[in-house]
């Protein structure tokens, strides 16, 4: 009885406090709803994260690029644009950029073509038994880390016991994949294509899936040949997503480091030395942080250029859609 | 009065004895404490692993018994090619994440210059008073030969300042299959074809020239039998190609720089070094397919799988090369061939391998004291002998000069023969070591792989790169010459 009383009292005495607390919360919520600060508060955590992890390091890197700064010797001194001028006249940089350009154009080109082909086949075979399993297996390489794929293929290419070397030997051809100057680049690029073609298949499926069904059905009824159907209906509608995929792959491919580092370290000689490997070497072997920062800034600008192209295409697409609506 | 004097004298004596006893029993400053130590070393490298294994197996009980503290050693490991970056990145942040580092010999300058590692000369003379560590005269080691001291201990070159203590001594030796070498039919066939007998004993190999060895390598290169004459290391990773090209350059009379002026241009790019590169490249034709991508493990595999008649391999890898008892029985381990110079003189100068211990400057006083205790223990004769018994290569004179030493491991005789200044040599200990190495690895592997075909132009390009690195970093007053602007690796 006493306990009940106590409980009742407790309830009685806390109820008004709880109500007051709720009223305060409601007032605060109302004030926030009407405040211009509310959106800012919502994005604050992301903004803080972005500033701490992106903006400050980038500014720091920009500043560092104007210094001669070796982590080893600690001889930090301001040298203006000397690092930029140095890397502009550095043969290694241009050679590495040339190889990276070939890497991106050939790699992304082949991935896109294969992605379109295989994506089209999967798109047109929705009722095929085992389609889901086949798709899952096909996407597996994309899920692997480049390090795992690198190790995997180093063993496959291994000249004495690798399965690829063995198979070629069976047909009387002695192939040394990773240390033949004529084959090393293609051998590593093949692994990149193997890894990232599934991504382009995925993009193709998403792109083709975005084609309005009504247009496809109309084409079916009108018995338009598949080539024309692709050219006038599918590709124009899928273009935007396909471009997005190509641009994402281009930016990513431009930064390739881990796979090549693990498989050849840029060799033999420098036939597989891409720009990201050169940057890594300067930053983490030579510890020439100023020069490496300058190169990093140049690569950042290149990535921004790619992104700008993407945004430009995006805007063009929006404008076109708006005009069609009007 | 006399009685009193006797009593007083006895009391004084007792007091003195008790003080002496107290002083003798003064506990170690870390007694009763538990300390965790981390050693950073080379991943998959037997001697590094042995150091940590022995620390845990033998030093831990030793420290408990003699010093009264508990200590554990963890092993952080990275492969050769990434260990330097891992160590340097950690030390640059003044971290004591790794208390003792098994460094490569060429990194001494890079670690010493910024003050990341303890100056052992100071430790020997003064100790570390602020940490209560007394002078350590025991670290003034009596090492087997001067090349041990200059390779693993000294920076800058030519000075007396000690920064490292030898952990593992190492040199390139030649592993040869006895079943092929001593086979009467093979020997007769070889003699008939080349007009001289193949060497048979350790002493025969001491006099073997690279010219004659090349004939042996050619003789045993039989792709149809999946057998090749020899195996070296040519991969671009870290310093592998460099380590196997330098013996050709050094032995033939070439050099890589002037250590006093730090001139590379005009020294490295010499005609004799170009010839050395051509010869080194020619040796690839006697090696298994894929040899251009071979590092240490691939070299071990090629030899142990019976694909090669011989192998130029580090003495430190002896344990892996002859792990199989049958292989151990069937392998003759000898000095690698020498080179006859134009003046007729015979020289054998191979690259030094091996690693020193270095102590992290940013250790806490407790970690520093354990590091000192551990290294003092490491150089005890019985520890060095045990290291050898487990497959390591000690460098302390007392151990290496022990008559029993050469019989402990099958490679010990060749190792002892090679680790002297006449037969082995290290290269730069510069702070810019990694950058200079990366440049020449690129050039050397471009040439050996056939990407470029002009040895002299390759040497010119490397010399320009290295001269610029040294000049830009204020390590030399000699700038790269103007003609470097027109030299490209092509």
């Amino acid at each position: 009885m006493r306990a009940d009383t106590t409980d009742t009292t407790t309830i009685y005495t806390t109820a008004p406090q709880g109500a007051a607390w709720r009223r305060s919360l409601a007032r605060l919520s109302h004030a926030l709803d009407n405040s211009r600060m509310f959106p800012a508060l919502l994005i604050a955590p992301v903004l803080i994260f972005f500033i701490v992890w992106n903006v400050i390091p980038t500014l720091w890197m920009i500043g560092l690029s104007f210094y001669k700064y070796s982590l080893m010797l600690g001889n930090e001194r301001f040298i203006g644009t000397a690092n930029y001028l140095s890397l502009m006249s550095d043969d290694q940089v241009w050679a590495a950029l040339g190889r990276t350009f070939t890497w991106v154009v050939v790699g992304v080109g082949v991935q896109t073509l294969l992605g379109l082909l295989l994506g089209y086949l999967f798109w047109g075979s929705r009722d095929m038994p085992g389609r889901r399993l086949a798709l899952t297996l096909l996407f597996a390489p994309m899920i692997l880390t480049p390090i795992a794929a690198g190790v995997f293929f180093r063993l496959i290419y291994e000249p004495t016991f690798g399965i690829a070397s063995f198979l070629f030997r069976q047909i009387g051809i002695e192939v040394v994949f990773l240390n033949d100057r004529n084959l090393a680049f293609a051998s590593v690029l093949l692994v990149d294509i193997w890894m990232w073609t599934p991504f382009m298949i995925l993009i193709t499926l998403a792109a083709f899936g975005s084609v309005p069904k009504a247009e496809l059905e109309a084409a079916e009824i009108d018995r338009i040949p598949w080539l024309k159907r692709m050219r006038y209906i599918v590709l124009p509608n899928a273009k935007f997503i396909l471009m997005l995929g190509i641009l994402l792959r281009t930016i990513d491919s431009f930064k390739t480091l881990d796979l090549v580092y693990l498989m050849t370290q840029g060799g033999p000689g420098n036939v597989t030395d891409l720009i990201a490997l050169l940057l890594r070497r300067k930053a983490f072997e030579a510890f020439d942080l100023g020069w490496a920062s300058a190169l990093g800034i140049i690569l950042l600008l290149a990535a921004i250029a790619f992104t700008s192209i993407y945004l430009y295409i995006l805007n063009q697409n929006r404008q076109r859609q708006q005009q069609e609506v009007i | 009065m006399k009685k009193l004097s006797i009593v007083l004298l006895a009391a004084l004596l007792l007091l003195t004895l008790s003080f002496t006893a107290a002083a003798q029993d003064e506990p170690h400053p870390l007694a009763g404490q538990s300390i965790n130590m981390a050693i950073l070393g080379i991943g998959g490298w037997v001697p590094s692993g042995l150091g940590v294994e022995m620390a845990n197996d033998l030093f831990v009980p030793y420290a408990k018994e003699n010093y009264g503290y508990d200590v554990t050693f963890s092993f952080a490991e990275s492969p050769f090619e990434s260990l330097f970056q891992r160590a340097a990145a950690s030390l640059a942040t003044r971290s004591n994440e790794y208390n003792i580092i098994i460094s490569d010999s060429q990194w001494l300058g890079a670690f010493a210059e910024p003050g990341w590692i303890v100056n052992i000369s100071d430790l020997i003379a003064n100790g570390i008073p602020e940490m209560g560590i007394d002078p350590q005269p025991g670290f003034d080691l009596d090492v087997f030969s001067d090349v041990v001291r200059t390779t693993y201990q000294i920076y800058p070159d030519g000075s007396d300042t000690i920064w490292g203590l030898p952990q593992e001594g190492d040199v390139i030796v030649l592993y040869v299959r006895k079943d092929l070498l001593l086979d009467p039919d093979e020997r007769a066939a070889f003699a008939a074809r080349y007009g001289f007998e193949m060497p048979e004993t350790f002493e025969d190999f001491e006099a073997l020239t690279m010219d004659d060895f090349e004939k042996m390598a050619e003789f045993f290169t039989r792709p149809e039998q999946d057998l090749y004459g020899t195996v070296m290391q040519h991969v671009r990773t870290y310093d592998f190609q460099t380590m196997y090209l330098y013996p050709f350059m050094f032995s033939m009379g070439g050099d890589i720089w002037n250590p006093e002026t730090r001139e590379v241009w005009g020294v490295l790019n010499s005609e004799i070094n170009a010839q050395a590169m051509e010869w080194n490249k020619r040796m690839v034709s006697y090696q298994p397919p894929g040899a251009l991508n071979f590092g240490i493990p691939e070299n071990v595999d090629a030899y142990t799988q019976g694909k090669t008649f011989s192998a130029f391999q580090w003495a430190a890898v002896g344990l892996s090369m002859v792990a199989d008892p049958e292989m151990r029985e069937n392998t003759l381990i000898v000095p690698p061939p020498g080179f006859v110079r134009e003046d007729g003189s015979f020289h054998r100068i191979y690259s030094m391998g091996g690693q020193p211990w270095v102590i992290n400057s940013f250790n806490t006083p407790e970690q520093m004291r354990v590091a000192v205790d551990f290294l003092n223990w490491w150089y005890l004769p019985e520890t060095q002998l045990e290291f050898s018994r487990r497959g390591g290569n000690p460098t302390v004179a007392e151990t290496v000069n022990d008559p029993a030493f050469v019989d402990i491991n099958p490679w010990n005789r060749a190792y002892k023969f090679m680790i002297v200044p006449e037969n082995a040599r290290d290269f730069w200990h510069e702070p810019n070591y990694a950058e200079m190495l990366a440049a020449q690895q690129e050039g050397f592997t471009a040439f050996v792989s056939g990407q470029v075909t002009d040895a002299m132009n390759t040497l010119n390009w490397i010399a320009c790169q290295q001269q610029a690195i040294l000049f830009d970093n204020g390590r030399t007053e000699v700038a790269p010459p103007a003609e470097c602007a027109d030299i490209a690796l092509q």
Side-chain angles (χ1 to χ4, degrees):
Chain A
M1 188 66 186
R2 189 176 172 81
D4 289 347
T5 310
T6 308
D7 287 345
T8 312
T9 310
T10 307
I11 291 162
Y12 180 75
T13 51
T14 53
Q17 282 174 5
W21 184 80
R22 275 197 295 275
R23 275 199 298 277
S24 303
L25 196 64
R27 271 201 299 276
L28 179 67
S29 169
H30 184 67
L32 279 175
D33 280 347
N34 294 326
S35 165
R36 287 181 183 175
M37 290 294 289
F38 188 54
L41 280 174
L42 285 177
I43 63 164
V46 176
L47 207 60
I48 290 168
F49 186 88
F50 179 73
I51 289 169
V52 169
W53 297 109
N54 284 44
V55 177
I56 293 174
T58 306
L59 292 176
W60 193 286
M61 191 166 81
I62 292 170
L64 210 55
S65 71
F66 295 107
Y67 280 81
K68 172 77 188 167
Y69 182 38
S70 163
L71 203 61
M72 291 289 169
L73 303 172
N75 51 357
E76 189 179 352
R77 66 177 198 277
F78 184 76
I79 55 167
T81 55
N83 282 327
Y84 289 95
L85 294 174
S86 159
L87 68 89
M88 287 296 172
S89 60
D90 193 322
D91 288 343
Q92 279 182 294
V93 173
W94 290 108
L97 273 174
R99 281 186 288 271
T100 308
F101 182 75
T102 311
W103 176 271
V104 171
V105 171
V106 178
V108 176
V110 174
Q111 286 158 25
T112 305
L113 287 175
L114 285 175
L116 275 171
L117 182 69
L118 292 169
Y120 178 74
L121 291 176
F122 273 102
W123 182 59
S125 58
R126 287 190 196 87
D127 302 326
M128 184 181 78
R131 181 177 181 270
R132 274 172 183 270
L133 181 68
L135 272 174
T136 309
L137 290 174
L138 203 63
F139 292 147
M142 193 177 77
I143 300 160
L144 288 175
T145 65
I147 295 295
V151 172
F152 190 48
F153 272 88
R154 258 188 83 153
L155 294 174
I156 288 176
Y157 285 151
E158 215 284 326
T160 49
F161 58 79
I163 184 76
S165 311
F166 171 78
L167 291 174
F168 273 94
R169 216 175 294 132
Q170 296 307 302
I171 53 170
I173 304 171
E174 193 69 59
V175 188
V176 180
F177 292 96
L178 295 180
N179 39 28
D180 183 321
R181 66 185 189 282
N182 300 314
L183 284 179
F185 189 87
S187 302
V188 183
L189 185 58
L190 194 68
V191 182
D192 190 68
I193 291 169
W194 174 80
M195 278 190 78
W196 292 109
T197 296
F199 176 77
M200 288 310 296
I201 296 172
L202 198 67
I203 289 289
T204 304
L205 284 172
F208 288 0
S210 71
V211 178
K213 278 188 180 162
E215 290 183 31
L216 288 171
E217 282 165 3
E220 187 81 36
I221 291 163
D222 291 345
R223 295 183 177 275
I224 296 173
W226 77 269
L227 198 63
K228 282 191 175 175
R229 215 181 295 175
M230 283 298 287
R231 185 175 170 189
Y232 295 111
I233 299 169
V234 178
L235 287 178
N237 281 299
K239 194 170 70 180
F240 169 67
I241 297 178
L242 286 174
M243 282 303 290
L244 172 67
I246 291 169
L247 283 163
L248 286 175
R249 275 305 303 138
T250 302
I251 293 167
D252 198 41
S253 185
F254 192 68
K255 298 184 295 185
T256 303
L257 167 73
D258 30 21
L259 184 71
V260 185
Y261 180 74
L262 197 91
M263 292 185 74
T264 62
Q265 293 229 333
N270 54 16
V271 292
T272 57
D273 204 21
L274 303 184
I275 195 71
L277 271 88
L278 178 65
L279 176 62
R280 191 207 72 88
R281 208 161 53 241
K282 282 285 183 181
F284 300 113
E285 283 186 16
F287 289 103
D288 189 349
L289 298 187
W291 196 96
S293 297
L295 182 56
I297 296 295
I298 298 291
L299 297 185
L300 179 67
L301 291 175
I304 289 171
F306 286 131
T307 313
S308 301
I309 295 169
Y310 161 63
L311 289 174
Y312 174 77
I313 293 167
L314 179 70
N315 283 335
Q316 290 273 313
N317 193 60
R318 272 191 191 146
Q319 281 171 5
R320 187 180 61 82
Q321 282 176 340
Q322 280 166 357
Q323 280 169 356
E324 281 173 3
V325 170
I326 291 164
Chain B
M1 189 64 188
K2 195 179 174 183
K3 265 188 183 174
L4 185 66
S5 301
I6 290 168
V7 170
L8 276 173
L9 199 66
L12 193 67
L13 192 68
L14 273 172
L15 203 65
T16 310
L17 282 172
S18 62
F19 270 121
T20 312
Q24 280 174 349
D25 292 344
E26 189 182 335
H28 189 283
L30 300 181
Q33 294 189 36
S34 291
I35 295 107
N36 298 316
M37 298 288 284
I39 295 177
L40 176 64
I42 303 155
W45 186 242
V46 174
S48 286
L50 276 179
V52 184
E53 181 188 300
M54 286 176 62
N56 280 314
D57 287 357
L58 305 174
F59 178 70
V60 168
Y62 178 88
K64 183 72 178 168
E65 190 182 325
N66 291 279
Y67 307 132
Y69 60 76
D70 292 302
V71 58
T72 56
F73 288 87
S74 59
F75 188 28
E77 48 188 325
S78 281
F80 268 114
E81 60 271 22
S82 57
L83 183 68
F84 175 74
Q85 287 91 313
R86 186 167 175 183
S90 175
L91 292 169
T93 60
R94 306 175 73 81
S95 163
N96 60 5
E97 184 182 5
Y98 312 118
N99 311 114
I100 303 172
I101 296 167
I102 299 172
S103 153
D104 219 347
S105 60
Q106 297 88 11
W107 309 345
L108 283 182
F111 289 164
E113 204 68 44
W116 292 342
I117 54 174
V118 171
N119 181 325
I120 304 287
S121 289
D122 275 354
L123 189 59
I124 292 168
N126 310 312
I128 309 176
E130 63 274 21
M131 291 188 176
I133 294 174
D134 296 330
Q136 300 292 322
F139 288 159
D140 192 6
L141 301 172
D142 178 19
V143 290
F144 174 66
S145 81
D146 196 46
V147 74
V148 169
R149 191 174 168 81
T150 53
T151 300
Y152 307 122
Q153 299 196 259
I154 301 296
Y155 175 79
D157 293 334
S159 75
D160 283 329
T161 314
I162 300 173
W163 292 90
L165 295 165
Q167 193 258 343
E168 162 83 359
D170 202 6
V171 281
I172 295 174
V173 293
L174 186 68
Y175 297 76
V176 186
R177 273 177 59 180
K178 283 191 210 168
D179 59 338
L180 292 171
L181 179 74
L182 304 179
D183 183 279
D185 294 341
E186 297 284 6
R187 295 186 69 79
F190 181 87
R193 183 165 161 189
Y194 294 99
F196 69 95
E197 289 281 335
M198 282 195 287
E200 199 169 351
T201 63
F202 189 96
E203 290 75 15
D204 291 345
F205 275 95
E206 281 183 35
L208 181 68
T209 65
M210 188 57 96
D211 275 312
D212 289 349
F213 176 79
E214 189 177 350
K215 292 184 178 77
M216 292 167 67
E218 183 187 53
F219 178 72
F220 285 108
T221 298
R222 302 162 188 173
E224 68 286 358
Q225 295 175 19
D226 201 17
L227 178 69
Y228 297 86
T230 195
V231 59
M232 295 184 179
Q233 292 165 29
H234 299 284
V235 71
R236 177 175 164 154
T237 310
Y238 193 48
D239 64 2
F240 296 111
Q241 168 61 22
T242 291
M243 287 297 198
Y244 279 75
L245 172 59
Y246 273 173
F248 288 75
M249 291 183 170
F250 294 154
S251 303
M252 290 170 73
D255 212 329
I256 53 170
W257 74 333
N258 178 338
E260 280 160 24
T261 58
R262 293 186 171 83
E263 280 173 284
V264 180
W265 180 265
V267 181
L268 178 74
N269 47 336
S270 65
E271 197 53 50
I272 199 80
N273 279 347
Q275 288 171 22
M277 285 176 71
E278 296 281 3
W279 198 344
N280 176 263
K281 183 179 176 178
R282 198 165 70 230
M283 295 303 289
V284 176
S285 55
Y286 313 120
Q287 300 179 49
L292 290 178
N293 220 23
F294 279 11
I296 293 172
E298 293 84 2
N299 183 308
V300 173
D301 288 345
Y303 181 74
T304 54
Q305 287 169 10
K307 285 179 181 289
T308 65
F309 158 70
S310 65
F312 288 78
Q313 179 61 283
W314 299 104
V317 192
L319 216 53
S320 308
M321 292 291 276
V322 293
D324 179 51
E326 202 176 309
M327 186 60 94
R328 199 179 182 98
E329 195 57 40
N330 190 31
T331 296
L332 184 65
I333 305 175
V334 292
F339 293 73
V340 180
R341 291 185 187 169
E342 282 180 4
D343 62 3
S345 59
F346 178 87
H347 296 267
R348 174 193 286 112
I349 307 173
Y350 278 69
S351 309
M352 280 287 285
Q355 298 79 36
W357 299 105
V358 295
I359 307 173
N360 186 338
S361 285
F362 310 112
N363 281 341
T364 63
E366 292 78 16
Q367 291 163 340
M368 197 66 89
R369 189 171 282 277
V370 176
V372 167
D373 288 346
F374 169 70
L375 290 172
N376 270 310
W377 168 83
W378 181 259
Y379 294 104
L380 293 175
E382 58 270 28
T383 311
Q384 287 288 290
L385 212 55
E386 177 61 20
F387 180 50
S388 180
R389 280 192 207 105
R390 292 187 184 213
N393 293 330
T395 51
V396 174
E398 188 183 341
T399 312
V400 182
N401 283 326
D402 188 319
F405 174 75
V406 290
D407 296 323
I408 294 177
N409 295 305
W411 60 88
N412 279 15
R413 187 175 173 197
Y415 163 74
K416 185 177 176 180
F417 178 88
M418 288 297 293
I419 197 161
V420 291
E422 304 80 54
N423 292 337
R425 181 185 156 179
D426 202 20
F427 54 108
W428 359 275
H429 295 150
E430 280 294 294
N432 300 103
Y433 162 78
E435 201 175 358
M436 291 169 73
L437 180 68
Q440 72 180 31
Q441 281 289 105
E442 182 174 342
F444 291 158
T445 57
F447 179 76
V448 78
S449 68
Q451 187 196 345
V452 294
T453 51
D454 186 339
M456 198 64 208
N457 184 66
T458 306
L459 287 168
N460 286 340
W461 180 82
I462 296 167
C464 287
Q465 297 284 317
Q466 294 184 338
Q467 198 68 64
I469 291 165
L470 291 166
F471 182 72
D472 290 348
N473 287 285
R475 302 292 299 171
T476 179
E477 290 173 0
V478 182
E483 59 201 282
C484 282
D486 300 322
I487 295 171
L489 185 62
Q490 57 190 16

